[in-house]
Amino acid sequence: MIKENLIQQAFEVATERYAVIGVDVHKALESLGKISLSLHCWQADDVVGFENRGGSLTGGIQVTGDYPGRARTIDELRMDLLKAKSYIAGKHRFSLHAIYGDFQGEKVDRDEIEPRHFESWIQWARTNGLKLDFNSTSFSHLKSGNLTLANPDDTIRDFWIEHTKRCRWISDEIGKAQEDPCMMNLWIHDGSKEVPASRLRYRQILERSLDEIFSTEYRWMKDCIEAKLFGIGLESYTVGSYDFYLGYGVSRKKIVTLDTGHFHLTESVADKVSALLLFTPEIMLHVSRPIRWDSDHVVILNDDVLDLAREIVRCDALDRVHIGLDYFDATINRIGAYVIGSRATQKAFLLALLEPTALLRQYEEEGRYFERLALQEEAKSLPWGAVWDMYCLQNGVPVGEDYIAEIEKYESDITSRRK
Ligand code: RNT
Ligand code: ZN
């Protein structure tokens, strides 16, 4: 256990040190406290959900690993989510997928889901002081195939249009109940292994499907559209590419979701933020960690996440960017995976908020580029860790590595017993 008075002392020194370069630590902490993450519910159960229809995860995404303790029921999932949340400072949201409805053993097809299937989630969120977000689910279903909303076969396409319309309706009801708009993310895997004879054709169909889906106006939900580079088995062509959704989002005023795993590996997602903010209403993020491909590794504090956080803070856009997480790792303790990724994301934002931006901008204004680069480098080793520790302490969550033993205990008491 790290002693409280040590944390306090280190924090005081850090506060003074930051003041030297014009950074107000208290202000940074206040801003950090207002940042809500939208935690993805699917890390807890390997993207399985509660439809009870068997079958495996499809749609070109993959969870690897078979670490024991996956949440198998809605109660287990909720318990695990709350456990994870208890190690993450601040007020947060949970993002549900349509397949996580409370179906009570009933067989409810995707084109039959209704707000009542999510009523118990709304109650649960209310009881626990949380807000919910939502996602339509086009994968892991007999009608998923390689094409859903972009399918030339109208029976399949209509099925998915109906599903997605219902998801918007459900999202609106969730938003109304929580008196805060529910972010609804639409991601489909549509694409092909080889280059199709007409790339245009499927994009035209998708455009029509989306227009039909979005024809109803809702007040309590916001539409987000998520592009992708490729899926497994769908390597050559993705109907909903970034260019497609960027164009769609700009022309229809929809929110584009940037999943950090959905771009070429040397492409900077951070660089897209300021451009998107000029032409689309808001931004939804899926913070993830691609290793060589869209592998959805647990988020860690790396340069990509740091750049992204810094860019959002520099654009003064914390109120226009929604920070969702999206990864799934089944090789380690799943609750630990939430905690590592969430805390890493928060650390990135803290570092961004502690940046001596005013001074950097002054140097830039004066053409003093050596000074600008030097200060950026020096800022990396300023005592931000002491500020982070204080943030955890103030919020009553374990400081530093103290959560490791607690998660181990939960594992030995609870998750390791799930056979
Ligand atoms: C897939 C997308 C999508 C999913 C979730 C489960 O590549 O990132 O967001 O991960 O909807
Ligand atoms: Zn995603």
Side-chain angles (χ1 to χ4, degrees):
M1 286 280 273
I2 305 158
K3 297 239 168 52
E4 270 186 36
N5 57 342
L6 270 182
I7 297 166
Q8 186 66 42
Q9 278 169 23
F11 177 71
E12 277 158 25
V13 174
T15 304
E16 280 180 44
R17 177 65 184 90
Y18 273 105
V20 174
I21 49 159
V23 173
D24 182 340
V25 166
H26 293 281
K27 233 174 106 192
L29 281 181
E30 200 188 308
S31 302
L32 184 64
K34 290 188 196 141
I35 298 179
S36 286
L37 304 178
S38 182
L39 274 79
H40 55 312
C41 73
W42 49 94
Q43 163 62 51
D45 79 331
D46 309 341
V47 209
V48 175
F50 305 119
E51 275 183 331
N52 286 324
R53 52 179 65 248
S56 51
L57 179 61
T58 70
I61 51 177
Q62 199 168 51
V63 178
T64 47
D66 57 357
Y67 197 82
R70 178 182 92 74
R72 301 156 303 175
T73 63
I74 208 161
D75 291 334
E76 287 180 355
L77 185 90
R78 286 175 182 163
M79 192 177 164
D80 291 357
L81 294 179
L82 291 180
K83 192 70 193 168
K85 189 186 87 91
S86 72
Y87 302 122
I88 306 162
K91 274 193 164 293
H92 303 289
R93 310 171 69 92
F94 275 108
S95 188
L96 300 177
H97 241 283
I99 49 174
Y100 287 78
D102 191 355
F103 302 120
Q104 312 262 350
E106 203 190 321
K107 272 229 180 305
V108 184
D109 209 349
R110 304 267 173 98
D111 62 345
E112 296 166 344
I113 53 167
E114 293 178 27
R116 69 185 170 93
H117 299 119
F118 295 87
E119 191 47 46
S120 72
W121 275 112
I122 295 174
Q123 294 307 333
W124 174 82
R126 181 173 296 146
T127 311
N128 293 289
L130 291 158
K131 302 262 159 67
L132 297 174
D133 292 321
F134 205 73
N135 298 256
S136 52
T137 318
S138 65
F139 51 82
S140 305
H141 186 278
L142 279 172
K143 292 194 174 78
S144 293
N146 291 343
L147 293 169
T148 61
L149 292 175
N151 204 312
D153 178 339
D154 279 338
T155 52
I156 306 262
R157 180 174 157 259
D158 288 345
F159 175 85
W160 291 112
I161 288 177
E162 182 61 29
H163 168 70
T164 319
K165 283 185 165 178
R166 282 169 180 260
C167 288
R168 294 183 76 233
W169 172 37
I170 293 164
S171 300
D172 189 61
E173 293 297 324
I174 292 174
K176 206 181 294 169
Q178 67 193 14
E179 292 179 4
D180 188 68
C182 171
M183 307 303 291
M184 177 179 142
N185 190 57
L186 188 162
W187 169 72
I188 56 166
H189 54 276
D190 295 35
S192 57
K193 186 178 173 86
E194 301 291 353
V195 177
S198 171
R199 284 180 160 113
L200 176 62
R201 182 180 185 214
Y202 306 96
R203 294 198 169 126
Q204 284 171 327
I205 299 173
L206 178 56
E207 181 190 20
R208 267 197 285 125
S209 299
L210 294 176
D211 283 346
E212 197 176 326
I213 289 164
F214 295 141
S215 63
T216 313
E217 291 278 335
Y218 285 113
R219 176 160 173 229
W220 289 103
M221 58 86 63
K222 293 184 185 180
D223 294 301
C224 311
I225 44 181
E226 182 180 5
K228 180 155 183 170
L229 193 57
F230 74 92
I232 304 169
L234 307 163
E235 290 86 356
S236 297
Y237 171 66
T238 302
V239 185
S241 60
Y242 183 59
D243 304 72
F244 175 90
Y245 282 122
L246 183 58
Y248 193 89
V250 171
S251 60
R252 313 303 202 271
K253 304 236 173 315
K254 295 292 176 192
I255 299 172
V256 174
T257 299
L258 297 175
D259 183 310
T260 58
H262 292 189
F263 296 90
H264 291 286
L265 292 178
T266 54
E267 204 171 341
S268 163
V269 180
D271 186 51
K272 299 177 191 302
V273 170
S274 54
L276 268 182
L277 285 171
L278 283 176
F279 303 109
T280 58
E282 294 168 38
I283 293 175
M284 179 78 212
L285 294 178
H286 272 187
V287 185
S288 190
R289 180 164 56 108
I291 301 289
R292 304 191 189 280
W293 69 290
D294 181 23
S295 58
D296 289 293
H297 277 61
V298 176
V299 168
I300 56 170
L301 182 63
N302 61 15
D303 283 346
D304 295 334
V305 183
L306 270 168
D307 280 345
L308 186 58
R310 227 173 356 232
E311 199 50 40
I312 294 162
V313 171
R314 285 179 182 180
C315 289
D316 196 15
L318 280 168
D319 55 344
R320 285 179 67 199
V321 180
H322 306 264
I323 309 156
L325 304 182
D326 182 14
Y327 51 82
F328 19 94
D329 188 342
T331 67
I332 59 171
N333 181 298
R334 292 170 183 78
I335 290 133
Y338 276 120
V339 180
I340 293 169
S342 307
R343 288 173 68 123
T345 307
Q346 289 184 311
K347 284 178 190 168
F349 278 94
L350 174 62
L351 266 153
L353 289 161
L354 290 172
E355 185 186 70
T357 316
L359 194 48
L360 288 171
R361 288 195 174 149
Q362 185 193 326
Y363 285 148
E364 185 166 296
E365 201 62 30
E366 294 165 358
R368 294 159 74 190
Y369 300 129
F370 145 67
E371 291 83 345
R372 183 184 62 184
L373 187 60
L375 184 58
Q376 277 174 330
E377 278 305 289
E378 289 307 318
K380 290 178 180 170
S381 51
L382 287 175
W384 66 272
V387 184
W388 169 249
D389 285 350
M390 182 49 103
Y391 182 65
C392 292
L393 184 69
Q394 279 175 350
N395 282 278
V397 302
V399 173
E401 69 281 13
D402 283 354
Y403 66 84
I404 297 176
E406 295 194 27
I407 290 178
E408 282 175 338
K409 181 164 188 320
Y410 186 72
E411 173 169 302
S412 67
D413 292 350
I414 314 267
T415 54
S416 68
R417 302 190 180 186
R418 294 175 187 162
K419 293 282 183 298

